Amino acid sequence: MNRKSWLQSLAEDATPAIDECIEQLGETFPLLDQFKLTEQDPQWHAEGDVHIHTGMVLDELYQLLENEANHIQGAHRQALVLGALLHDIAKPLTTRRKEVRGVERVVATRHEAMGRSYIAHRLLNLELSMTVVDLVMGLVGEHHMPKLLVIKQMERGEYWKLARKASMELLYWLEVADMRGRICEDLNQQIDLLEQFKMFSEEYGVWATHQPLEHLRQEIKPHIKDLRADVQDMIFARTMRDFEEGDISTVEEGIARTYSLRDGFSEVYVLYGPSGSGKSSWIKQFDAECEVISLDELRKEINGDRANQSNISQILTVARERLKAHLRAKKKIIWDATNLREDFRQRICRIAFDYHAFVTLVVFHKSERQLFADNKSRPYSVPENVLQDQLDHLEWPVPEEAHRYWVVDNSGKVIKQSGGFND
């Protein structure tokens, strides 16, 4: 069976064992071949290595899909199977031994977030819809959160925040399979935490939807319906963020916080994308009124060559000062850089937040294959080893990093919007 047909079978009734999955997808995700070499902590995973565990998770998931979860079909079934296969994909990168309270343990810190980053551009090499890609990334990147939200007794806002990144129901079923697909002493306690997660998700209105804020949109609509579209987006996004952070408890509080901004505010667009992802082309067609702060152009201005990486501190200082000047003038600004690291993005977002700007994170999502092809045809291409290093070390952005979150596809079209009233 060719790969396209095999992937389609996952949306129907296929139940491939882990070795068959690796045979089909090992070339796309080479870390799958390292599962057998990746140990796990025996207290939580007495069954053995990551290969054994993932195989057990798949088997448990197929049982669920035949019984309690048999309503999950089509694209959601396909995403759930792929999510189960890939949920621990970054453990080969993150697993190490660490002494905890005098006992040597096996840990894999942040393997969830690193897993999402690892698969982000590689998933697009496959014959999958963007809906499925989005769902799989959510499952891999957030599969640790259901139990954590319950253990930490998190409030409504954290459930809203999670529901913008992942399907709560699919997360639940993945984690039921994840728990059953291991040997540990506290299995019943772990399953109970998941049942509480389901109960709270239903209570907060995010169980059956991947767009959890529609009720907030309807509640705020009468208050802002006569305002300009950009002002509507700003008020809604800031109110949503305040709710998620637990800073407000009513829509009226959120609206009151925006009155001083209605006569004028800056807009900042922080771009994310590896070299060759289409950022420059998008800028040209987006908004001619935007002030563009390009680190490439600053390197050319200061170093005489946009490829010269020296004087980075001076370049960043100049860039930030220009950003602050534009913010004081309440202009529209594009921060044009790869911004592959979260801390780089957050430094810019924090400055913008301090000036009460409306911040949009613009995420350019191309396949790994397309990135290499397009890089070759760029006027200013980077060496292939540099692009590969970018893909190996990028940190995929998530919605809560900014007020608003856009995903741009291979053609430069915004295909996903989160956070704005008019999205």
Side-chain angles (χ1 to χ4, degrees):
M1 183 184 299
N2 63 42
R3 190 175 67 182
K4 184 176 181 180
S5 298
W6 184 84
L7 286 168
Q8 181 55 39
S9 74
L10 303 182
E12 298 162 2
D13 57 2
T15 57
I18 184 171
D19 289 331
E20 180 182 335
C21 294
I22 294 175
E23 182 180 351
Q24 288 285 344
L25 299 180
E27 183 177 351
T28 303
F29 307 106
L31 289 180
L32 288 170
D33 291 320
Q34 297 185 34
F35 276 9
K36 289 183 179 180
L37 305 175
T38 306
E39 64 177 337
Q40 299 185 110
D41 192 277
Q43 180 174 340
W44 306 112
H45 290 280
E47 72 278 1
D49 59 45
V50 176
H51 184 276
I52 294 171
H53 168 60
T54 303
M56 292 173 65
V57 172
L58 285 168
D59 291 342
E60 291 293 339
L61 178 62
Y62 299 146
Q63 290 294 318
L64 291 169
L65 288 170
E66 288 182 7
N67 297 286
E68 304 102 300
N70 61 7
H71 61 285
I72 297 177
Q73 300 175 358
H76 281 200
R77 187 187 194 278
Q78 185 183 46
L80 191 51
V81 174
L82 290 172
L85 173 67
L86 299 171
H87 77 286
D88 283 341
I89 189 65
K91 278 191 173 180
L93 299 175
T94 59
T95 296
R96 60 190 177 90
R97 289 175 174 262
K98 177 182 179 182
E99 187 173 302
V100 179
R101 299 187 184 92
V103 178
E104 187 177 63
R105 307 299 299 268
V106 178
V107 299
T109 307
R110 297 193 74 250
H111 74 274
E112 305 89 356
M114 289 186 66
R116 174 171 47 209
S117 298
Y118 175 81
I119 68 173
H121 295 280
R122 292 175 174 88
L123 271 175
L124 296 185
N125 290 339
L126 304 178
E127 299 82 358
L128 299 170
S129 70
M130 287 305 299
T131 296
V132 170
V133 168
D134 185 50
L135 289 171
V136 175
M137 289 177 61
L139 291 172
V140 172
E142 305 298 332
H143 71 270
H144 64 305
M145 286 303 294
K147 292 185 298 177
L148 192 62
L149 290 181
V150 177
I151 291 171
K152 291 193 171 185
Q153 299 181 330
M154 303 305 289
E155 301 292 337
R156 172 182 59 178
E158 291 297 328
Y159 284 80
W160 284 15
K161 190 183 296 184
L162 178 59
R164 289 203 291 139
K165 294 180 287 187
S167 162
M168 305 295 260
E169 183 179 8
L170 295 189
L171 273 178
Y172 166 81
W173 290 115
L174 171 60
E175 280 307 280
V176 171
D178 190 11
M179 292 302 106
R180 292 182 181 178
R182 66 176 69 189
I183 299 174
C184 60
E185 295 180 357
D186 63 344
L187 177 60
N188 291 336
Q189 179 183 345
Q190 299 297 319
I191 295 295
D192 181 65
L193 291 173
L194 293 174
E195 295 306 315
Q196 292 183 61
F197 166 77
K198 178 182 179 182
M199 178 187 70
F200 285 121
S201 296
E202 291 174 334
E203 179 180 342
Y204 296 141
V206 294
W207 174 252
T209 175
H210 193 28
Q211 299 294 329
L213 301 178
E214 184 57 35
H215 59 289
L216 177 61
R217 184 174 283 107
Q218 294 306 316
E219 189 175 352
I220 207 171
K221 184 176 181 179
H223 301 277
I224 64 174
K225 60 184 178 64
D226 297 325
L227 301 176
R228 294 195 323 267
D230 60 330
V231 178
Q232 291 177 338
D233 283 341
M234 180 272 293
I235 295 173
F236 178 79
R238 292 178 69 93
T239 300
M240 174 200 66
R241 185 178 177 86
D242 287 343
F243 263 119
E244 290 184 347
E245 296 301 322
D247 295 332
I248 61 174
S249 57
T250 68
V251 165
E252 288 74 18
E253 288 179 87
I255 292 172
R257 286 177 167 224
T258 67
Y259 280 129
S260 63
L261 301 174
R262 296 187 185 191
D263 293 332
F265 55 91
S266 184
E267 296 182 41
V268 179
Y269 297 84
V270 179
L271 310 190
Y272 157 93
S275 299
S277 55
K279 299 186 295 297
S280 297
S281 298
W282 183 84
I283 290 171
K284 291 177 182 177
Q285 66 184 15
F286 177 59
D287 190 335
E289 296 182 2
C290 280
E291 300 287 348
V292 179
I293 299 175
S294 168
L295 298 192
D296 283 342
E297 291 302 317
L298 278 171
R299 279 190 285 268
K300 181 179 179 181
E301 177 183 328
I302 294 172
N303 296 334
D305 182 356
R306 56 188 284 136
N308 187 332
Q309 298 292 324
S310 61
N311 298 312
I312 185 62
S313 295
Q314 179 186 358
I315 289 168
L316 289 174
T317 298
V318 172
R320 286 193 287 263
E321 289 308 312
R322 291 183 184 180
L323 171 63
K324 292 175 183 178
H326 294 323
L327 286 167
R328 287 192 291 269
K330 297 183 178 180
K331 293 185 177 181
K332 289 185 179 181
I333 309 150
I334 294 176
W335 183 272
D336 179 18
T338 56
N339 290 315
L340 301 182
R341 283 174 46 177
E342 181 183 1
D343 59 340
F344 287 179
R345 297 189 295 268
Q346 282 306 294
R347 288 171 193 166
I348 305 309
C349 289
R350 280 195 294 268
I351 293 172
F353 292 151
D354 288 343
Y355 282 81
H356 305 291
F358 180 36
V359 184
T360 301
L361 188 56
V362 185
V363 180
F364 292 80
H365 200 182
K366 275 187 180 180
S367 72
E368 181 184 49
R369 185 184 303 116
Q370 192 67 50
L371 283 168
F372 278 99
D374 290 350
N375 177 57
K376 290 180 180 179
S377 62
R378 296 172 66 214
Y380 304 102
S381 62
V382 301
E384 288 197 352
N385 66 306
V386 172
L387 178 54
Q388 187 61 61
D389 187 67
Q390 291 179 4
L391 292 169
D392 289 342
H393 295 95
L394 64 87
E395 296 174 351
W396 183 260
V398 290
E400 65 260 29
E401 292 182 31
H403 292 116
R404 188 168 57 178
Y405 183 86
W406 291 353
V407 178
V408 177
D409 70 4
N410 190 48
S411 66
K413 179 182 178 182
V414 177
I415 58 171
K416 179 182 178 182
Q417 302 180 67
S418 175
F421 178 77
N422 296 292
D423 292 346

